Amino acid sequence: MLSLKKYLTEGLLQFTILLSLIGVRVDVDTYLTSQLPPLREIILGPSSAYTQTQFHNLRNTLDGYGIHPKSIDLDNYFTARRLLSQVRALDRFQVPTTEVNAWLVHRDPEGSVSGSQPSSGLALESSSGLQDVTGPDNGVRESETEQGFSEDLEDLGAVAPPVSGDLTKEDIDLGAGREIFDYSHRQKEQDVDKELADGVEQEDTWPGEGAEVLARNLLVDGETGESFPAQFPADISSLTEAVPSESEPPGLQNNLLSPLLTGTESPFDLEQQWQDLMSIMEMQAMEVNTSSEILYNAPPGDPLSTNYSLAPNTPINQNVSLHQASLGGCSQDFSLFSPEVESLPVASSSTLLPLVPSNSTTLNSTFSSTNLAGLFFPPQLNGTANDTAGPELPDPLGGLLDEAMLDEISLMDLAIEEGFNSVQASQLEEEFDSDSGLSLDSSHSPSSLSSSEGSSSSSSSSSSSSSSSSASSSASSSFSEEGAVGYSSDSETLDLEEAEGAVGYQPEYSKFCRMSYQDPSQLSCLPYLEHVGHNHTYNMAPSALDSADLPPPSSLKKGSKEKQADFLDKQMSRDEHRARAMKIPFTNDKIINLPVEEFNELLSKYQLSEAQLSLIRDIRRRGKNKMAAQNCRKRKLDTILNLERDVEDLQRDKARLLREKVEFLRSLRQMKQKVQSLYQEVFGRLRDENGRPYSPSQYALQYAGDGSVLLIPRTLADQQARRQERKPKDRRK
DNA sequence: CCTATCTGTCATAGG
DNA sequence: CACCTATGACAGATA
């Protein structure tokens, strides 16, 4: 079990790097306080076979590689992080299309207006292209969808319980006995070394560590990815204003179109929107350079992007001719389906006018209870009745992305997304280009979301599992290889050494043995390491294998023997030189790799001087530390590479979720258009007792809780609208 | 010669 | 306490 210190020193560091790379701010505390495995362990995965092993238990290996790879629950970790990123990327817009469907009105040819006023059923002529939507079904699916979101959130929370640990425990160890004792010896050794190898002192001006440099570069990349054109803010301001706030209450259908949303947009929401858009910028900058300009250099004054208003020539609206002039804004009184309104129409029934049916068609009772007054009538057309409506509030959906922008984003993201095949893309485009956004329910969220989610999770899990499997296979292969050249072969050389005398050893052989686990071919077995060009064969002397590995000493002439001796001398490490100088009677390999008991046993076999014993102990210490350093560096490299891969995965996920979000926004806008046109059609067909149409500035439609549609005066509708405006505000405080 | 990188070593922390 | 591993830092070697 790893201590919390590990969390703080490693997990936090790596996570910070990760977040910096992708330019995303995530609540790190969630991870620090969770019971997830430490990031280092998780990220390392099977490569954590390099973590501590009891060396003296590894008789058959030189360094303990490949033994007992720790099993890491990668799925748990990746799932949690994926969920977090996706939830975060979903941003404030959590409006499944099922909720949007609650807006739909459909024509029931044989039905009549249900509820308290059957005789005054609202007449509505057949409107083309609308599909049936059943109210109760909507309700069920809404709740299900909400539950799904909350479950995701709960999953996130479930993996981050508070940790009760002792952070203050510190083990203060001042013991330095052996090190101090050895220091004098080491000084002597260094003196000897200087005599042996007359190396020239050289100033090391830049002691930079490779891993650090790499990490720094990655950080820079992430930061540069954050940059964006200067004109960007002006262009996206409309979007940030348009996207509904995430903090809105679960009853989305009530507040979905509430004008309050824009007014109460928190800075955090804006920041999130900003980050999302910047993410899109990153993706585009990375992969679709040309398209990005099309998207983000859109005219700042684009009416569709700055303030949502239906253009008169919108295809949907061409059928509704009566109130073309009033279509300029639908910003008022968007508090549809608000439960608070239910009681009002009944209480003030005296002012209500029963709707006069002009034909046999009626409205379906899809709308639960709402006030449609002013929904499609801009304040400037409402006359005096609108004076009490307060300041004009921008349409929360009004600033939705321009259709062209939406298409652009969608297409670009589709192009970016690897896991998104062309069939899916074309299907999506067809659906969004079609007038019938109603089909979104069956083909899109949450079903499409869940499906894409599943594919994403499967891909991510498969990638992680593949990496883990490849890493484990690498570890196992290295393990077997090391086992093949372990102590058994080492003992083969013992005869030769002892026959040659006290200084007989084969340093090159040890190099070869140590090299085995770092064979580049094995590294290339890890797919994510293939592109790494660094040489991580730490101990491999390039020529040692060819020339020094198979020395035929007896068959060589004297001159070549001397040459070879010189070559061997050059290949020997400093400790090996020291050992030879001190006439240590066994190999450094034995000194370093033997278990303690056998090592002591070996020492007891020989009469060694104090200097020899000290040197042997230092050789052992240094040799072990050398291997530890190699392991450490390899681990560090693996960590960085894994982080790099994780960043790529997260960026892909983020791009996909952003694309889905944009598509939701687009479908939502289509729904709004349909509701608008239907409202106008219904209102335009209403006639008073004299057979004259009602004035939109004086009357408005309102849906009651029982499904009936009421025609109420504007003043009453505005009062109700204001009442609904205040409630969400109060709730948030 | 300068620089970046690799590698070994030391000191230290911690298991 | 002995022994071990991990790791940051440093320095020499090397490309």
Side-chain angles (χ1 to χ4, degrees):
Chain A
M1 175 179 173
L2 283 113
S3 65
L4 279 169
K5 229 171 190 174
K6 286 278 183 181
Y7 281 133
L8 296 173
T9 57
E10 297 174 1
L12 183 57
L13 170 64
Q14 295 179 7
F15 208 79
T16 303
I17 293 173
L18 178 67
L19 296 177
S20 300
L21 287 173
I22 61 179
V24 169
R25 199 189 69 216
V26 174
D27 187 9
V28 183
D29 294 337
T30 303
Y31 293 97
L32 289 180
T33 58
S34 71
Q35 290 182 347
L36 290 172
L39 284 176
R40 185 179 63 81
E41 286 284 326
I42 297 157
I43 292 167
L44 281 175
S47 68
S48 59
Y50 305 122
T51 50
Q52 284 195 358
T53 53
Q54 291 304 309
F55 177 79
H56 35 274
N57 292 334
L58 307 178
R59 291 293 315 271
N60 291 330
T61 62
L62 285 174
D63 51 17
Y65 266 53
I67 299 298
H68 302 311
K70 295 176 181 176
S71 66
I72 305 299
D73 190 0
L74 285 169
D75 285 342
N76 189 22
Y77 167 74
F78 281 115
T79 299
R81 196 165 63 174
R82 179 173 48 80
L83 286 174
L84 179 70
S85 65
Q86 287 173 352
V87 168
R88 207 200 62 73
L90 275 175
D91 223 328
R92 276 83 194 112
F93 189 76
Q94 298 184 353
V95 186
T97 51
T98 51
E99 298 166 358
V100 173
N101 285 334
W103 294 63
L104 297 178
V105 178
H106 94 138
R107 179 184 63 87
D108 188 355
E110 297 173 358
S112 61
V113 169
S114 60
S116 60
Q117 294 168 317
S119 61
S120 63
L122 186 63
L124 175 59
E125 208 172 19
S126 154
S127 61
S128 62
L130 292 183
Q131 300 181 5
D132 292 353
V133 175
T134 56
D137 190 21
N138 286 332
V140 172
R141 274 181 284 174
E142 281 168 18
S143 62
E144 285 175 357
T145 309
E146 288 297 317
Q147 220 169 351
F149 275 104
S150 63
E151 278 176 3
D152 285 351
L153 292 171
E154 283 174 4
D155 285 343
L156 284 175
V159 295
V163 171
S164 62
D166 188 4
L167 275 166
T168 62
K169 178 186 180 299
E170 285 192 8
D171 191 4
I172 301 174
D173 186 6
L174 296 177
R178 192 190 66 186
E179 300 294 330
I180 293 173
F181 171 77
D182 290 342
Y183 188 71
S184 59
H185 287 287
R186 288 183 204 147
Q187 290 292 89
K188 291 177 186 175
E189 291 167 8
Q190 288 178 359
D191 294 341
V192 176
D193 291 342
K194 285 176 182 174
E195 291 175 5
L196 289 174
D198 48 346
V200 182
E201 286 259 341
Q202 190 173 347
E203 282 275 322
D204 200 350
T205 55
W206 269 67
E209 193 129 327
E212 291 174 350
V213 173
L214 179 53
R216 211 177 305 138
N217 289 338
L218 290 172
L219 276 168
V220 170
D221 290 343
E223 288 166 1
T224 53
E226 293 274 37
S227 62
F228 42 83
Q231 75 273 15
F232 185 60
D235 292 340
I236 66 146
S237 60
S238 59
L239 176 63
T240 57
E241 291 172 0
V243 177
S245 169
E246 189 180 52
S247 57
E248 63 189 75
L252 280 172
Q253 74 275 20
N254 293 337
N255 305 287
L256 190 59
L257 298 179
S258 170
L260 289 174
L261 293 180
T262 55
T264 59
E265 186 109 23
S266 68
F268 184 67
D269 297 338
L270 289 174
E271 184 182 348
Q272 292 297 326
Q273 299 295 331
W274 186 254
Q275 287 184 355
D276 285 346
L277 283 157
M278 286 197 297
S279 174
I280 291 182
M281 292 290 292
E282 293 176 20
M283 299 302 294
Q284 289 163 349
M286 277 171 15
E287 305 180 49
V288 192
N289 289 327
T290 56
S291 303
S292 64
E293 294 195 357
I294 298 174
L295 174 60
Y296 293 103
N297 290 336
D302 189 352
L304 287 180
S305 60
T306 53
N307 184 13
Y308 178 80
S309 62
L310 285 178
N313 56 356
T314 303
I316 290 177
N317 297 327
Q318 285 175 350
N319 297 329
V320 186
S321 59
L322 280 179
H323 305 287
Q324 286 279 317
S326 66
L327 293 179
C330 47
S331 58
Q332 292 286 321
D333 299 326
F334 250 128
S335 51
L336 289 171
F337 309 108
S338 179
E340 288 83 358
V341 196
E342 281 190 17
S343 58
L344 279 170
V346 182
S348 57
S349 60
S350 61
T351 62
L352 299 181
L353 293 180
L355 299 179
V356 178
S358 61
N359 61 23
S360 61
T361 58
T362 61
L363 280 178
N364 191 300
S365 62
T366 304
F367 291 170
S368 58
S369 168
T370 182
N371 179 9
L372 289 177
L375 178 56
F376 304 114
F377 301 98
Q380 60 268 23
L381 292 183
N382 288 343
T384 57
N386 198 54
D387 291 339
T388 59
E392 181 180 5
L393 291 165
D395 186 345
L397 298 174
L400 288 185
L401 287 174
D402 178 32
E403 189 78 25
M405 292 174 66
L406 292 171
D407 290 334
E408 201 65 41
I409 291 176
S410 180
L411 289 174
M412 285 187 300
D413 288 343
L414 288 176
I416 296 169
E417 181 64 83
E418 293 176 359
F420 218 83
N421 59 45
S422 58
V423 176
Q424 287 175 291
S426 62
Q427 283 177 350
L428 274 177
E429 284 307 303
E430 284 177 13
E431 286 165 0
F432 289 125
D433 290 338
S434 69
D435 281 341
S436 171
L438 304 177
S439 61
L440 289 174
D441 177 49
S442 58
S443 59
H444 276 281
S445 75
S447 63
S448 70
L449 186 63
S450 62
S451 67
S452 60
E453 189 102 342
S455 67
S456 159
S457 73
S458 67
S459 67
S460 90
S461 66
S462 68
S463 65
S464 60
S465 65
S466 69
S467 70
S468 68
S469 64
S470 61
S472 64
S473 69
S474 159
S476 63
S477 66
S478 63
F479 168 60
S480 61
E481 204 169 306
E482 289 162 2
V485 293
Y487 285 112
S488 58
S489 350
D490 200 19
S491 63
E492 291 176 8
T493 65
L494 187 60
D495 299 334
L496 181 59
E497 299 162 15
E498 291 175 347
E500 284 182 355
V503 292
Y505 44 79
Q506 295 177 331
E508 279 68 37
Y509 178 68
S510 72
K511 282 181 178 293
F512 174 64
C513 291
R514 276 174 274 154
M515 180 273 301
S516 64
Y517 64 86
Q518 285 158 340
D519 191 318
S521 64
Q522 294 182 16
L523 277 178
S524 67
C525 292
L526 305 175
Y528 53 88
L529 291 178
E530 284 179 351
H531 63 286
V532 178
H534 297 305
N535 174 21
H536 296 294
T537 58
Y538 296 105
N539 279 317
M540 182 168 66
S543 55
L545 293 177
D546 303 328
S547 54
D549 191 33
L550 301 171
S554 58
S555 64
L556 290 175
K557 292 179 183 177
K558 211 174 183 181
S560 63
K561 247 184 181 176
E562 288 177 358
K563 275 186 180 177
Q564 199 176 22
D566 291 344
F567 187 78
L568 287 175
D569 283 349
K570 285 180 182 175
Q571 294 301 316
M572 280 196 298
S573 68
R574 282 178 281 179
D575 273 340
E576 283 158 347
H577 278 111
R578 293 185 199 122
R580 175 187 279 186
M582 296 286 286
K583 299 189 186 311
I584 305 297
F586 26 79
T587 67
N588 283 22
D589 267 351
K590 284 186 178 306
I591 294 172
I592 295 168
N593 295 322
L594 238 45
V596 214
E597 299 105 32
E598 296 189 22
F599 175 67
N600 291 330
E601 205 174 314
L602 184 65
L603 291 184
S604 65
K605 285 182 186 174
Y606 300 89
Q607 290 288 340
L608 299 170
S609 67
E610 193 61 31
Q612 279 177 318
L613 287 174
S614 174
L615 175 63
I616 286 171
R617 267 188 275 271
D618 279 345
I619 287 172
R620 184 176 174 88
R621 176 180 49 79
R622 281 192 289 261
K624 286 187 176 303
N625 189 252
K626 188 168 85 175
M627 289 187 297
Q630 290 164 358
N631 293 346
C632 186
R633 281 164 179 148
K634 189 183 188 310
R635 199 162 33 236
K636 194 185 290 181
L637 180 70
D638 289 345
T639 301
I640 291 170
L641 293 174
N642 280 315
L643 283 169
E644 198 177 26
R645 196 164 43 86
D646 290 345
V647 167
E648 292 170 1
D649 291 344
L650 286 172
Q651 283 175 337
R652 255 194 300 277
D653 282 351
K654 188 174 182 180
R656 177 178 55 80
L657 292 168
L658 275 174
R659 186 182 59 251
E660 290 174 359
K661 177 177 145 184
V662 164
E663 288 164 356
F664 287 149
L665 284 173
R666 192 199 307 176
S667 65
L668 186 62
R669 199 183 65 179
Q670 291 180 348
M671 299 299 164
K672 187 178 157 188
Q673 289 176 346
K674 289 184 181 305
V675 174
Q676 188 177 5
S677 63
L678 281 172
Y679 179 95
Q680 290 170 0
E681 186 169 351
V682 168
F683 195 89
R685 291 173 186 277
L686 295 179
R687 296 292 182 271
D688 57 10
E689 297 83 357
N690 301 326
R692 293 184 304 190
Y694 287 99
S695 168
S697 61
Q698 295 175 0
Y699 294 97
L701 290 180
Q702 186 183 35
Y703 288 89
D706 55 1
S708 60
V709 180
L710 304 177
L711 185 66
I712 62 174
R714 272 245 166 237
T715 53
L716 181 61
D718 292 338
Q719 288 175 8
Q720 293 176 5
R722 273 200 304 278
R723 215 165 302 169
Q724 292 181 42
E725 287 174 12
R726 257 175 267 126
K727 288 212 170 183
K729 269 184 179 175
D730 295 341
R731 225 175 297 162
R732 264 172 235 192
K733 285 176 183 175

